[in-house]
Amino acid sequence: MMVPVRCFSCGKAIGQAYEEFLERVKKGEKAEKVLDDLKITRYCCRRMIFSQADLIDDFMKYNV
Amino acid sequence: MNMKKIAPIGNSERFFVTGTTPALINAIRRISMNSVPVLAIETVSFYDNDSVMFDEMVAHRLAMIPLKTDSKSYKQGDSMKLLLEKEGPGTVYSGDLESTDPKIEVSDKKIPIVKLKKGDKIKLEATAIMETGREHVKWQSAIIGFKQTAALTTTKDCNLCKECIKACPKGLIEEKSGKIILKDSIECTLCGECRDVCKKNALEILPEKDSFVLSIESTGSLSTAEIIKNSIEVLEAKVNDFKKEVKKLS
């Protein structure tokens, strides 16, 4: 629904990186570079960020 | 035993440790993962939650947030309270959590917890307790690992064909005054590509028995120095306990 707070595999807190990642990738920066910049180095943590699809906005449309 | 700080990778601090055994390094590794107590939210009482997320989901997200822990004034089993109150529209961040103890705060203020529509309210009281990673990963103090460094040897059969230099994926092998040497034994991952490509079977690459690279990345609750210090204290307590039992036997 929203980006997980921690990496499923190693337990590093990664939730805080998601909003900045989205913003910078939308501006045209390379995803690979942004992740390096955010100090997300292991591939377990990297997949948490770039495979995330936030669905909470869709849920919010139907909530009464 | 000798310990030297080397270049970090991302947020992981790395140390070059020599003159010890894998058993000791591994003991430190295991203890810092599952026996060093830190604070994490355990129970949450909801007064209001109009968001699309169920109370349980919000509580789970809150629990995963690392809290900066003062390991001097908090011991295993101690608890403290945090409060959260916010009205939409907007995103609720970990920074909105109000701690009742000024020494304790969230390690990162930008972790999103839940999104609220206009008029939605969230109000809750959370209790954080001091526990260990053995109970749940939210109490894990560090992401920690170690590896042995590499040592490269060549025999007389080496004809300096330089195949190994081309094969090394990290470009760490070079020729120096008629000999094949390893430039950096710390960065070598011991993949063995250089050994496999050698047609003369003249090259061997093996882990060194007594030198290690220890990498520690704090989850945010304690500093790296505190993690090592606290895990040594836990190990000491365990050994002393064992000693007492042995004394009873004699």
Side-chain angles (χ1 to χ4, degrees):
Chain A
M1 197 184 254
M2 276 184 102
V3 65
V5 177
R6 288 196 194 210
C7 170
F8 290 156
S9 302
C10 71
K12 177 189 169 87
I14 42 100
Q16 75 281 2
Y18 187 62
E19 284 184 359
E20 190 182 337
F21 172 81
L22 271 193
E23 209 174 283
R24 286 172 67 175
V25 169
K26 255 181 211 158
K27 274 185 194 158
E29 275 186 74
K30 266 202 173 146
E32 184 192 345
K33 269 205 164 154
V34 180
L35 287 170
D36 284 339
D37 244 26
L38 292 167
K39 295 192 172 174
I40 296 174
T41 48
R42 284 179 293 273
Y43 55 75
C44 59
C45 309
R46 289 167 87 96
R47 61 95 206 257
M48 296 302 296
I49 297 292
F50 66 66
S51 62
Q52 166 65 19
D54 254 1
L55 293 176
I56 193 160
D57 295 307
D58 297 327
F59 278 104
M60 278 157 75
K61 279 181 213 160
Y62 303 106
N63 188 325
V64 197
Chain B
M1 188 165 159
N2 188 14
M3 207 164 164
K4 206 174 75 192
K5 207 170 175 175
I6 54 174
I9 294 182
N11 286 328
S12 311
E13 285 192 41
R14 294 197 303 162
F15 301 92
F16 181 56
V17 190
T18 48
T20 183
T21 56
L24 183 69
I25 298 276
N26 196 36
I28 301 289
R29 183 193 130 254
R30 292 187 59 148
I31 288 169
S32 55
M33 282 201 299
N34 65 27
S35 296
V36 173
V38 293
L39 276 170
I41 290 170
E42 170 71 353
T43 48
V44 184
S45 318
F46 284 89
Y47 298 106
D48 236 334
N49 179 17
D50 301 329
S51 75
V52 287
M53 259 191 221
F54 296 122
D55 292 357
E56 289 87 344
M57 290 172 82
V58 177
H60 179 253
R61 293 180 70 82
L62 287 169
M64 301 310 278
I65 296 167
L67 300 171
K68 263 187 202 152
T69 307
D70 178 17
S71 57
K72 280 192 193 95
S73 41
Y74 284 86
K75 292 281 162 270
Q76 192 166 352
D78 290 356
S79 65
M80 53 89 58
K81 282 208 154 66
L82 294 122
L83 306 164
L84 176 66
E85 194 175 0
K86 200 163 180 182
E87 203 178 323
T91 310
V92 183
Y93 290 99
S94 54
D96 296 322
L97 272 170
E98 260 177 70
S99 162
T100 51
D101 183 343
K103 276 182 290 188
I104 310 296
E105 56 174 351
V106 289
S107 71
D108 202 302
K109 291 192 159 72
K110 290 293 279 177
I111 301 172
I113 299 166
V114 69
K115 258 185 187 172
L116 298 174
K117 286 196 306 286
K118 195 171 176 246
D120 280 357
K121 264 183 267 172
I122 193 161
K123 188 179 176 189
L124 55 89
E125 188 184 294
T127 312
I129 67 166
M130 199 78 166
E131 254 303 337
T132 59
R134 184 163 298 198
E135 287 296 315
H136 192 282
V137 281
K138 66 187 177 187
W139 286 300
Q140 181 179 325
S141 75
I143 300 130
I144 176 167
F146 74 94
K147 65 165 189 179
Q148 284 167 293
T149 56
L152 186 146
T153 49
T154 49
T155 62
K156 289 189 298 250
D157 296 337
C158 178
N159 60 356
L160 296 175
C161 65
K162 292 181 186 166
E163 283 297 322
C164 46
I165 298 173
K166 268 182 256 163
C168 182
K170 289 205 152 193
L172 297 173
I173 300 174
E174 62 177 11
E175 189 203 331
K176 211 173 185 183
S177 52
K179 260 199 132 185
I180 298 291
I181 59 152
L182 186 65
K183 265 192 287 186
D184 196 337
S185 62
I186 289 169
E187 296 306 326
C188 176
T189 57
L190 283 161
C191 67
E193 198 70 22
C194 48
R195 175 186 54 218
D196 296 345
V197 86
C198 187
K199 288 190 187 85
K200 296 257 176 195
N201 280 333
L203 189 144
E204 189 55 89
I205 189 147
L206 287 168
E208 284 182 299
K209 283 203 175 70
D210 61 346
S211 81
F212 310 90
V213 178
L214 180 68
S215 54
I216 309 171
E217 179 170 8
S218 167
T219 49
S221 15
L222 299 168
S223 71
T224 316
E226 273 178 308
I227 290 164
I228 302 177
K229 212 187 91 209
N230 291 2
S231 34
I232 291 169
E233 271 167 24
V234 172
L235 180 63
E236 231 177 349
K238 280 182 182 185
V239 172
N240 283 338
D241 213 34
F242 191 35
K243 230 162 126 187
K244 252 188 234 161
E245 290 302 310
V246 172
K247 257 188 192 159
K248 273 189 212 162
L249 295 176
S250 57

